[in-house]
């Protein structure tokens, strides 16, 4: 069987080597399509592939249509909003993610960006510290939990909102669960976003929530740009000259944001959250192992298009 790794943003070399070992030791062939710039390259490469590993690469209905032999696609990572699940299901293709495998890398970046903005982009004589501040975790999943743990190490007060997690479990981590989103935003000097991009969450963070944040607060987005209402973000940053926004996923209007709110906004040049060798190895090898197991036994653990 042919296993294609299609990564516009390639995995670290060690991860690719590990994937190759897993695939070839199981008697399959590995094909690599890295740093491609044209959709047609993906359409051509996937045409005779039986399995596909991607990162944020878009697996659209067109890709699914072109992939005549495809049986399984694994998003090496957590968020699978880049996979057209309806198209996959309609062709009987199993879609999976690799939850938790790159969470530490994303959580560390969230803390790193908080330090960067607290130190006023490393401008001498103007910085503040994280210690003693309150951080709100919006969605207490794999990444949110690690951010909470790291934040406690910095001496921060940690509160969290997640309607899908038992508040007792949140409390057991030494984190205060709050009952409403309003309460979360009202009390957070730093607000770390960890919601997936879904029909319900898209554009869900805007003026209403951000305007509730305390003076000098910062919204930290290592989740998805789509969850932000970007027009309202401009409005609220205009209305509240004390607020800040840092993100790992540049907004569509990032140039405007950078110009208008210099020093108060920051975006990484390219999504960096999972850009560590460790995260690539964890997620890439997990993806390869899931594929091998599925092809050998039909195992569907981590399937997301049930
Ligand atoms: C994820 O959902 O796993 C992260 O956003 C990482 O995405 P990436 O693989 O495109 O860096």
């Amino acid at each position: 069987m042919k296993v294609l790794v299609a990564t516009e943003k390639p995995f670290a070399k060690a991860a690719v080597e590990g994937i190759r070992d897993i695939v070839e030791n199981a008697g399959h062939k590995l094909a690599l399509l890295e740093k491609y710039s044209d959709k047609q390259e993906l359409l051509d490469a996937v045409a005779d592939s039986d399995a596909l590993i991607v990162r944020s690469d878009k697996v659209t209905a067109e890709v699914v249509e072109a992939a005549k032999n495809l049986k399984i696609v694994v998003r090496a990572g957590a968020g699978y909003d880049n996979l057209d699940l309806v198209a996959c299901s309609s062709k009987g293709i199993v879609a999976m993610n690799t939850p938790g495998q790159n969470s530490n890398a994303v959580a560390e970046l969230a803390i790193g960006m908080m330090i960067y903005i607290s130190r006023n982009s490393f401008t001498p004589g103007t910085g503040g510290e994280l210690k003693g501040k309150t951080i709100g975790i919006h969605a207490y999943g794999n990444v949110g939990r690690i951010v909470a743990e790291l934040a406690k190490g910095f001496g921060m007060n940690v509160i969290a909102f997640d309607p899908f997690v038992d508040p007792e479990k949140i409390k057991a981590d030494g984190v205060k669960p709050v009952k409403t989103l309003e309460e979360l935003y009202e009390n957070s000097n730093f607000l770390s976003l960890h919601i997936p991009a879904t029909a319900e969450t898209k554009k869900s963070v805007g003026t209403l929530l951000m305007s509730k944040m305390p003076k000098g607060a910062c919204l930290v987005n290592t989740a998805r740009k789509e969850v932000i209402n970007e027009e309202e973000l401009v409005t609220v940053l205009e209305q509240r000259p004390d607020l800040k926004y840092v993100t790992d996923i540049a907004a569509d209007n990032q140039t405007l944001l950078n110009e208008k709110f210099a020093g108060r906004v920051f975006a990484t040049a390219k999504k960096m959250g999972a850009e560590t060798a460790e995260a690539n190895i964890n997620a890439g090898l997990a993806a390869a192992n899931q594929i091998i197991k599925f092809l050998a036994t039909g195992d569907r653990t981590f399937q997301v298009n049930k």
Side-chain angles (χ1 to χ4, degrees):
M1 300 262 184
K2 177 177 161 185
V3 180
L4 173 69
V5 174
T7 45
E8 181 270 323
K9 197 171 60 178
F11 287 124
K13 202 167 168 278
V16 176
E17 283 165 8
I19 294 169
R20 183 180 295 285
D21 283 348
I22 292 168
V23 168
E24 291 182 353
N25 288 340
H28 304 297
K29 282 198 189 100
L30 186 83
L32 266 185
L33 176 67
E34 293 181 318
K35 288 190 191 171
Y36 59 95
S37 50
D38 189 338
K39 184 179 68 178
Q40 191 58 45
E41 293 177 72
L42 176 59
L43 296 176
D44 292 343
V46 86
D48 61 345
S49 297
D50 299 281
L52 174 63
I53 296 175
V54 292
R55 293 184 65 178
S56 289
D57 308 76
K58 287 193 170 40
V59 180
T60 59
E62 193 182 6
V63 173
V64 167
E65 190 54 46
K68 299 290 179 213
N69 298 340
L70 199 64
K71 295 151 190 67
I72 177 167
V73 53
V74 182
R75 191 280 192 245
Y80 47 87
D81 45 307
N82 53 321
L83 308 182
D84 186 330
L85 295 185
V86 174
C88 287
S89 298
S90 74
K91 298 278 176 193
I93 297 166
V94 170
M96 295 184 183
N97 66 347
T98 64
Q101 299 290 349
N102 58 18
S103 305
N104 187 68
V106 179
E108 285 188 11
L109 185 73
I111 299 284
M113 291 203 300
M114 282 163 50
I115 293 174
Y116 180 71
I117 201 76
S118 297
R119 295 302 179 101
N120 203 11
S121 315
F122 301 142
T123 309
T126 63
E129 298 180 17
L130 304 186
K131 188 172 179 180
K133 309 292 189 310
T134 297
I135 178 171
I137 312 286
H138 185 166
Y140 199 70
N142 290 318
V143 183
R145 271 201 302 275
I146 302 174
V147 171
E149 196 183 318
L150 297 175
K152 281 192 295 172
F154 277 88
M156 301 184 82
N157 308 311
V158 189
I159 62 178
F161 174 81
D162 194 327
F164 304 105
V165 179
D166 179 355
E168 291 306 318
K169 284 201 174 130
I170 298 178
K171 269 190 214 160
D173 290 347
V175 173
K176 184 183 164 201
V178 297
K179 288 195 173 62
T180 63
L181 266 184
E182 288 68 23
E183 194 183 344
L184 186 79
Y185 279 71
E186 262 165 29
N187 290 289
S188 298
N189 304 112
F190 293 89
L191 191 298
S192 199
L193 268 177
H194 302 292
I195 47 177
T198 65
E200 291 74 39
T201 64
K202 279 181 187 170
K203 288 186 182 275
S204 66
V205 179
T207 313
L208 204 66
L209 291 173
M210 281 191 75
S211 61
K212 296 197 178 331
M213 295 178 82
K215 194 168 174 9
C218 180
L219 181 66
V220 182
N221 183 6
T222 54
R224 289 291 182 270
K225 68 177 179 184
E226 289 82 0
V227 303
I228 302 289
N229 183 322
E230 293 184 359
E231 294 72 34
E232 290 189 11
L233 176 62
V234 174
T235 310
V236 77
L237 288 172
E238 271 168 356
Q239 287 168 354
R240 289 276 309 271
D242 58 301
L243 289 184
K244 295 173 184 137
Y245 179 67
V246 293
T247 182
D248 185 32
I249 322 95
D252 289 336
N253 61 356
Q254 194 66 45
T255 311
L256 172 84
L257 291 174
N258 291 344
E259 280 166 14
K260 271 183 96 101
F261 309 111
R264 295 166 54 205
V265 298
F266 170 76
T268 52
K270 193 144 191 159
K271 197 164 137 218
M272 291 290 295
E275 284 291 276
T276 67
E278 292 91 335
N280 287 179
I281 291 168
N282 292 342
L285 270 57
N289 280 319
Q290 287 171 213
I291 285 175
I292 295 317
K293 206 166 170 192
F294 171 78
L295 292 176
T297 69
D299 187 289
R300 288 170 183 236
T301 312
F302 305 116
Q303 183 173 2
V304 292
N305 62 337
K306 282 173 192 160

